Amino acid sequence: MQQENILHIDMDAFYAAVEQRDFPEYRGKPIAVCGRTDQRGVVSTSSYEARKFGVHSAMPVRTAMKKCPHLILVQGRFNRYTEVSEKIMDVFCSFTPLVEPSSIDEAYLDVTGSLLLFHNATKIARMIKQRIKDEFLLTCSIGIAPNKLLAKIASNFKKPDGLFLLKKSEVESFLDNLKVEVLPGLGPKTAEIFHQQGVILVKDLKRLSREHLVRYFGIYGEHIFKMARGIDDSVVIPASRQEEKSISNETTLDHDITDGETINKILLSLSDQVARRLRNHKLKARTIKLKVKYFDFKTITRQITLSEATDLSAKIYKTVLNLFSTISLRPVRLLGVGSSGFDPGEEQLSLFQNKKLAKVERSVDSIRERFGSNSIKRASLLED
Amino acid sequence: MKIIASKDSLVGALQFAENIITAKTTMSILSNILLETVNNSLRIISTDLEVAIKILINADVKSNGAITLYAKKLTDIVKALPHDDIEMSVNDNNITTIKSKNKEVKAEFKIKGIPKNDYPVLPEIKKEYTFKIAQKNLKDMIRKTIFAVSTEDSRAAINGIKIELKDKKLRLVATDGRRLSFMDNKVDSDIKINDVIVPFKVLNELLKILKDEGMAEISLSENQIYFKVDDIELISRLIDGKFPEYMQVIPQSYEKKVVFFTNKMLNALKRVSLLTSEKRTGKIKFSFKKNSLEVSSSDPEIGEAREDIEIIYEDKEFEIAFSSEYLLDSINAIDSEKFVMGFNNSESASMLKEDGSENFFCLIMPIRIS
């Protein structure tokens, strides 16, 4: 693990804060920004004044009004937030080129290189907070830690307007006494399962073996095992803004999903579909993209360019999972997997290629061609 | 600070320093070069936070000090002045005056500098291992391997050259996953180095700095590498990652061996490549016959090209195809008049090496012939 060089910056109640800044009449009042302000709407972001009454993101407007009858509902201006967000991201970029926006109001920064200039990460964090305050009249919370996972937990630890440095030497003692639900992506349902097993704190979670977790949660179990130990190997990937011709599949879910295992299954199925279409077109893609639309219609995309083009679903799935691990896990409404950057049909062979895997996937294609697309499935996609 | 230095030594040093600076940097101070006096010399420093260069040049130091100046303008100004001594002086407001000592040219430039305090402090490298190698040998080794380094961003471990040192033998290996270049060379050192991957950028700069005479010094710490070449020092971080198990993909033997005449082959390839498809692979087909090779290409939208050339080959006929770029890169690294290629079949790795030398070879994966 490296030193405490990763920052996670989370804007405080971003949508609500922008509204309160732009419209002084909302300042100091409980407000809730919603996609639609009628009874069927859902709260995207509530101001801290509203949170005191228990009004939270993802809460139906109906419930929110019951909790806080004088709540002001504000129609969201999402273009405006994007505009402000881009300017804030520019501020981050002036401290390090390695800025990964993980959503409209959050970003990870790797400041390893910038330490030569600014001496320590805490100093950088203070300067960023000051500039956000001076230039945007907004506040943010910053977590500083040895990796992205810990930085995210740290930024959430002292909200709002917080700054928390989680030192490498204190990671274990810090994590041990946190409640399991503090781990990013570990939703209420999963937490409930753990509570029933007497697992309340992270240190309880550490008593569960890797095998046990994997049996319960699949790949996500492996992730939980690592999270409980503060392990996260993902790197800060700077955002890239290009789009080009692509083959992609996406699916809108009939209800919002937070459960990691279900998401994994959907991503696997989408990867399979994209890979098959690539093989049908005799194309290999060099760029793999993940698209996620959250319950509040915030949409984010992440993409990465592979060192060699692929048409294998296993490779696409693995890549997409890696990308997925870089974003925040909130209720998801839509998932998409895309591929682009196609190589021409000529097949440049690879030195380190996995020939067995390619053979298996091509055989699966021919079975599907003869017997229909549901004739053969991955075991993990079978319904119970 | 006030110094006088010759234009020629300034230009040379400033150009090396400017090469390190990344055009895309988001931090404006990194577009500057740091100049500071050291005893009776001038030290020129630049960095992109991953690679740093320090160059010492002779100067007549009138008064000590330091300043950072916008690299591009500084270099342009110094280049535009005549081949004489140049005087640079910095006042209390960081305004730097640059003028030529030439009596004919009375130009004077004043540029705004940023004080040294705002410039990153370069880390001192803890030299855990140090060895020396002749500059010429190191230059050869880098030149003959660097072209195979991957430029793609998804696998950091192959964005550099792997360096190993064992049994007094230095080894450089580079790959982009479809080709590989490998070179060994003797060095007089008993230290052992493994698992060191040096980024492309620092080696590419080093290649420009290395000369045919003298020694270069290389030092390593846990996560940095340091090169000292005469009065120039380069420091770079190392790549943190796992280099592919390259030994496993090197064929033990080859069924067919072909001897090529380097210049003839290079020229034929350049001609036939004119009609490869513009897209990435640029497929070139080889059809081997007894002592003769047909090199051909075709682009469905433009046309086709073929050329017969003389080779030394007595075995049975066969066909194989490669990317023209990969072939040209490898053959360009060949210094002998003849070179040898070894083949097994049209879908396995082919080897390319100099005639009479075992220290250097390339592997190239073919393009499947449809």
Side-chain angles (χ1 to χ4, degrees), chain A residues 349, chain B residues 255-256 318-320 322 343-350 366:
Chain A
L349 298 165
Chain B
E255 284 172 25
K256 307 177 193 76
F318 78 101
E319 290 188 336
I320 190 165
F322 294 104
F343 304 93
N344 285 320
N345 62 53
S346 68
E347 295 195 359
S348 64
S350 301

Side-chain angles (χ1 to χ4, degrees), chain A residues 301-369:
Chain A
T301 59
R302 289 287 173 276
Q303 63 176 40
I304 190 163
T305 300
L306 303 170
S307 58
E308 68 207 39
T310 189
D311 60 0
L312 299 179
S313 69
K315 177 77 188 170
I316 296 174
Y317 176 54
K318 197 178 149 209
T319 309
V320 168
L321 271 192
N322 277 339
L323 291 172
F324 194 81
S325 70
T326 68
I327 64 169
S328 51
L329 190 56
R330 301 188 297 126
V332 168
R333 174 152 301 177
L334 174 147
L335 285 166
V337 171
S339 64
S340 58
F342 302 126
D343 266 1
E346 284 178 354
E347 223 183 317
Q348 168 66 55
L349 298 165
S350 162
L351 269 171
F352 306 96
Q353 202 167 39
N354 190 340
K355 286 178 187 145
K356 239 186 208 164
L357 202 58
K359 230 174 169 178
V360 169
E361 296 207 1
R362 288 203 178 88
S363 320
V364 170
D365 282 355
S366 57
I367 292 171
R368 281 178 172 153
E369 221 162 83

Side-chain angles (χ1 to χ4, degrees), chain B residues 132-133 137 141 168-170 184-188 359:
Chain B
K132 287 187 173 174
I133 177 171
N137 291 351
M141 291 184 83
K168 294 189 188 283
K169 207 160 64 181
L170 180 68
D184 278 343
N185 214 324
K186 281 200 186 112
V187 289
D188 189 18
N359 285 339

Side-chain angles (χ1 to χ4, degrees), chain A residues 34-64:
Chain A
C34 314
R36 49 198 285 184
T37 50
D38 61 15
Q39 289 292 300
R40 291 185 53 206
V42 172
V43 175
S44 288
T45 310
S46 54
S47 66
Y48 279 93
E49 293 82 351
R51 291 183 191 190
K52 280 186 199 141
F53 294 89
V55 176
H56 284 294
S57 302
M59 184 176 276
V61 165
R62 198 192 302 263
T63 321

Side-chain angles (χ1 to χ4, degrees), chain A residues 93 286 305 307 346-347 351, chain B residues 26 152 154 177 281 365-366 368:
Chain A
C93 284
R286 303 176 66 75
T305 300
S307 58
E346 284 178 354
E347 223 183 317
L351 269 171
Chain B
T26 55
E152 292 146 11
S154 66
T281 48
M365 284 303 287
R368 198 169 272 160

Side-chain angles (χ1 to χ4, degrees), chain A residues 85-350:
Chain A
S85 167
E86 276 173 9
K87 285 185 186 149
I88 290 174
M89 295 296 168
D90 285 347
V91 169
F92 300 166
C93 284
S94 67
F95 289 89
T96 169
L98 296 176
V99 174
E100 176 184 322
S102 54
S103 75
I104 192 165
D105 56 357
E106 282 178 56
Y108 291 96
L109 276 64
D110 181 340
V111 299
T112 311
S114 315
L115 294 181
L116 296 178
L117 190 52
F118 300 106
H119 310 300
N120 69 59
T122 309
K123 190 170 161 201
I124 295 177
R126 282 212 190 91
M127 288 166 83
I128 290 175
K129 284 176 70 78
Q130 195 58 48
R131 278 191 64 182
I132 300 293
K133 220 166 257 175
D134 293 349
E135 294 174 33
F136 301 92
L137 306 170
L138 295 172
T139 64
C140 60
S141 297
I142 304 186
I144 309 166
N147 64 37
K148 285 166 69 178
L149 166 75
L150 295 168
K152 176 147 176 98
I153 296 173
S155 72
N156 205 23
F157 193 64
K158 286 199 177 157
K159 255 187 156 313
D161 205 3
L163 172 60
F164 183 64
L165 167 69
L166 176 50
K167 287 194 179 149
K168 195 173 159 183
S169 56
E170 292 162 11
V171 167
E172 195 178 350
S173 55
F174 174 78
L175 274 186
D176 275 357
N177 294 307
L178 290 179
K179 290 191 174 150
V180 289
E181 42 277 67
V182 170
L183 299 176
L186 205 144
K189 269 190 191 167
T190 318
E192 188 50 42
I193 297 175
F194 283 131
H195 291 171
Q196 282 166 8
Q197 303 179 13
V199 173
I200 311 294
L201 301 176
V202 174
K203 67 177 162 204
D204 304 325
L205 186 54
K206 273 164 70 180
R207 288 203 305 266
L208 303 181
S209 71
R210 187 191 294 256
E211 293 70 32
H212 177 86
L213 287 166
V214 169
R215 204 160 50 235
Y216 258 88
F217 303 100
I219 291 178
Y220 186 56
E222 175 77 30
H223 186 55
I224 296 176
F225 181 83
K226 285 186 175 166
M227 280 203 297
R229 284 152 186 80
I231 302 170
D232 178 13
D233 302 321
S234 63
V235 293
V236 173
I237 306 170
S240 123
R241 292 181 182 155
Q242 337 136 356
E243 290 269 340
E244 53 171 348
K245 264 192 182 175
S246 68
I247 287 187
S248 51
N249 279 65
E250 54 184 51
T251 181
T252 304
L253 311 165
D254 47 14
H255 59 283
D256 299 336
I257 291 184
T258 33
D259 156 44
E261 202 182 332
T262 312
I263 288 171
N264 288 349
K265 276 189 187 174
I266 295 166
L267 290 176
L268 177 57
S269 159
L270 290 169
S271 305
D272 253 347
Q273 292 166 34
V274 168
R276 271 176 68 200
R277 286 175 62 195
L278 284 169
R279 293 195 291 266
N280 284 341
H281 288 92
K282 300 215 178 331
L283 288 173
K284 291 188 171 199
R286 303 176 66 75
T287 303
I288 304 299
K289 191 167 96 176
L290 167 74
K291 179 176 171 187
V292 177
K293 192 187 274 180
Y294 291 115
F295 69 98
D296 55 1
F297 294 98
K298 279 184 197 170
T299 303
I300 58 164
T301 59
R302 289 287 173 276
Q303 63 176 40
I304 190 163
T305 300
L306 303 170
S307 58
E308 68 207 39
T310 189
D311 60 0
L312 299 179
S313 69
K315 177 77 188 170
I316 296 174
Y317 176 54
K318 197 178 149 209
T319 309
V320 168
L321 271 192
N322 277 339
L323 291 172
F324 194 81
S325 70
T326 68
I327 64 169
S328 51
L329 190 56
R330 301 188 297 126
V332 168
R333 174 152 301 177
L334 174 147
L335 285 166
V337 171
S339 64
S340 58
F342 302 126
D343 266 1
E346 284 178 354
E347 223 183 317
Q348 168 66 55
L349 298 165
S350 162

